[in-house]
Amino acid sequence: MFKRTQQTARETKQEAKDVTKSKNGLFASCSFSSLGLDPKLSDQLQERMGFEAPTLVQAQSIPVILSGRDVLVNAATGTGKTIAYLAPIIHHLQAYSPKVDRSHGTFALVIVPTRELCLQVYETLEKLLHRFHWIVPGYVMGGEKKAKEKARLRKGLDFPKVRCIIQYDCPGEATEYVHRVGRTARIGEKGEALLFLQPVEIDYLKDLKKHGATLAEYPLLKVLDKFPLLGNMPRIKKVISLESHPWVISLQRALEFFTYAEPKMKNLAKNAFVSWVRGYAAHKGELKSIFVVKKLHLGHVAKSFALKEQPSLVGKSHHKETMKRKRDERQRGQHPKKRKKMSGGNSRSTTKP
Ligand SMILES: Nc1ncnc2c1ncn2[C@@H]1O[C@H](COP(=O)(O)OP(=O)(O)OP(=O)(O)O)[C@@H](O)[C@H]1O
């Protein structure tokens, strides 16, 4: 369903309903219930929201949407398109048996081009859902404060049946850790959470403990030892570290083979590495002393991105930006080298007053 920005095609044909225009040409001379909407929903529209009759665009599009067809609606602004698509969605969702529940996940997604529209649609949706409290609306939009967005996601959206949360990168604050692992073990059920930590980051466990989250070490080496070695795996007499385990070595090889098979893939891995390191350097508060880039073995980090060597942290875009800045400075006559030239080689006139 497109709004505002995509009003190019017109497909809502008269075929669905013989809609007769009322005097002013905006409303249809039929009722909401005659369009096939659930009586409770029609009642909500008529009695509670005070809409006596559907608008023309609603009367034309609702029956077609209810029939399950794809619809593109093109109508002037303010003609009631919002209800034209929200009402059929609610009609379908309220009919589910057993009733839809927030733990079932997301059923419908409305994409709109602006924040204002997002709020408007949400407001209408809340009114329409007045009698259907088990259908939970939620919205996510850009430019919001992270905490606000998170609170709303916690309230409105849910990921059902998640049994295990695996975190390869450390969440920032302990509260964020709790929120992340809280995606599993919903409504009293059990769940598991795994967090990968490097030896230099072990102090993070103390921070989590302060906030009531105590983690047990997972004996990865022992677990790997339980896997039988395959024919092509390196034989090592005594495995003393995780990196020298045959399973880890062959997995690393396989990943590197995959990454280096295509330049595009290698670039993706490089970019991911650079972003990860930048994100790592952005930890705040007390965590700054735990997650210190200088303490990291960047070669090992690169390996974890299936790279054979550590990429430069000064990306091409940074290089381009620096070059552009220098060029601009030169054009503005601010760069010392250029000034020399501009002053006809008389460096004294610019470098010394
Ligand atoms: N059947 C109706 N009877 C009376 N008012 C209605 C009816 N349907 C919608 N409205 C009201 O008409 C106004 C415009 O509706 P809506 O915002 O859905 O229009 P729109 O076509 O989506 O506009 P835009 O393209 O600008 O987003 C709203 O205030 C809405 O509450």
Side-chain angles (χ1 to χ4, degrees):
M1 188 71 57
F2 295 80
K3 293 199 76 193
R4 274 192 190 138
T5 50
Q6 302 270 350
Q7 293 173 350
T8 49
R10 186 185 172 282
E11 279 293 317
T12 311
K13 294 180 183 160
Q14 303 273 132
E15 66 191 58
K17 190 97 197 153
D18 183 18
V19 177
T20 334
K21 286 186 189 181
S22 65
K23 276 174 264 159
N24 64 10
L26 180 63
F27 294 97
S29 52
C30 59
S31 66
F32 277 107
S33 54
S34 73
L35 300 177
L37 287 173
D38 171 77
K40 238 163 65 174
L41 183 56
S42 308
D43 193 49
Q44 176 68 14
L45 282 158
Q46 249 158 309
E47 304 296 323
R48 303 288 179 107
M49 293 172 77
F51 299 158
E52 281 173 28
T55 62
L56 275 179
V57 71
Q58 288 162 356
Q60 288 176 323
S61 54
I62 288 174
V64 188
I65 303 173
L66 287 180
S67 75
R69 304 256 310 272
D70 292 338
V71 179
L72 259 177
V73 177
N74 176 25
T77 182
T79 47
K81 293 186 289 290
T82 314
I83 284 166
Y85 64 83
L86 289 183
I89 294 176
I90 298 168
H91 172 91
H92 278 300
L93 291 183
Q94 60 79 36
Y96 272 53
S97 178
K99 276 185 176 158
V100 300
D101 179 282
R102 61 167 67 179
S103 70
H104 295 153
T106 306
F107 285 87
L109 193 63
V110 177
I111 301 171
V112 292
T114 65
R115 292 161 58 86
E116 289 69 28
L117 209 49
C118 175
L119 293 174
Q120 262 179 44
V121 172
Y122 182 73
E123 206 179 293
T124 309
L125 190 53
E126 275 198 315
K127 283 184 195 156
L128 283 172
L129 286 171
H130 199 73
R131 294 191 183 182
F132 309 97
H133 58 87
W134 61 94
I135 304 171
V136 184
Y139 65 83
V140 179
M141 59 186 180
E144 283 281 274
K145 287 226 166 74
K146 211 174 152 196
K148 214 170 150 192
E149 199 83 297
K150 267 197 303 194
R152 202 170 28 251
L153 280 172
R154 257 176 248 186
K155 180 182 149 249
L157 304 179
D158 211 351
F159 307 104
K161 300 196 171 52
V162 174
R163 294 276 167 267
C164 184
I165 303 286
I166 302 176
Q167 302 189 62
Y168 291 102
D169 66 324
C170 272
E173 297 153 25
T175 47
E176 196 170 329
Y177 172 85
V178 174
H179 172 58
R180 281 196 197 172
V181 301
R183 297 308 89 206
T184 183
R186 314 293 283 170
I187 335 167
E189 286 187 37
K190 285 194 172 177
E192 282 188 342
L194 270 179
L195 171 68
F196 281 79
L197 275 184
Q198 303 190 53
V200 289
E201 301 165 339
I202 219 77
D203 280 352
Y204 185 60
L205 292 183
K206 288 185 199 156
D207 193 69
L208 286 183
K209 205 171 177 180
K210 270 197 268 171
H211 292 85
T214 311
L215 273 63
E217 195 176 339
Y218 193 73
L220 204 52
L221 204 53
K222 274 191 193 161
V223 175
L224 288 175
D225 275 341
K226 283 186 195 157
F227 296 156
L229 291 186
L230 304 179
N232 56 351
M233 284 185 176
R235 308 277 141 172
I236 289 148
K237 272 190 188 161
K238 191 166 168 35
V239 178
I240 41 163
S241 68
L242 205 54
E243 302 93 78
S244 57
H245 194 284
W247 266 100
V248 175
I249 294 174
S250 46
L251 190 62
Q252 182 72 31
R253 273 188 201 153
L255 286 173
E256 282 174 12
F257 182 76
F258 177 75
T259 315
Y260 283 76
E262 267 186 63
K264 194 179 146 200
M265 219 28 104
K266 196 175 154 196
N267 271 339
L268 280 175
K270 274 185 180 176
N271 292 344
F273 167 85
V274 173
S275 301
W276 186 89
V277 177
R278 286 187 186 154
Y280 198 90
H283 275 100
K284 293 193 185 113
E286 286 178 29
L287 297 181
K288 252 186 157 165
S289 58
I290 300 173
F291 301 107
V292 184
V293 175
K294 277 188 187 163
K295 281 202 240 164
L296 287 177
H297 190 309
L298 288 175
H300 288 175
V301 176
K303 256 189 137 184
S304 72
F305 284 87
L307 290 162
K308 289 179 192 168
E309 65 280 326
Q310 181 202 324
S312 160
L313 282 166
V314 184
K316 265 189 197 163
S317 57
H318 177 80
H319 179 69
K320 268 189 197 163
E321 260 173 41
T322 314
M323 297 301 284
K324 186 175 177 297
R325 187 167 42 79
K326 284 187 180 165
R327 210 171 40 240
D328 289 349
E329 275 175 6
R330 274 203 298 272
Q331 272 166 9
R332 285 199 302 268
Q334 290 169 351
H335 199 279
K337 271 188 188 169
K338 196 68 190 173
R339 274 191 223 160
K340 270 188 201 172
K341 275 191 182 171
M342 281 164 62
S343 60
N346 182 1
S347 61
R348 282 172 181 251
S349 62
T350 52
T351 51
K352 287 185 185 173

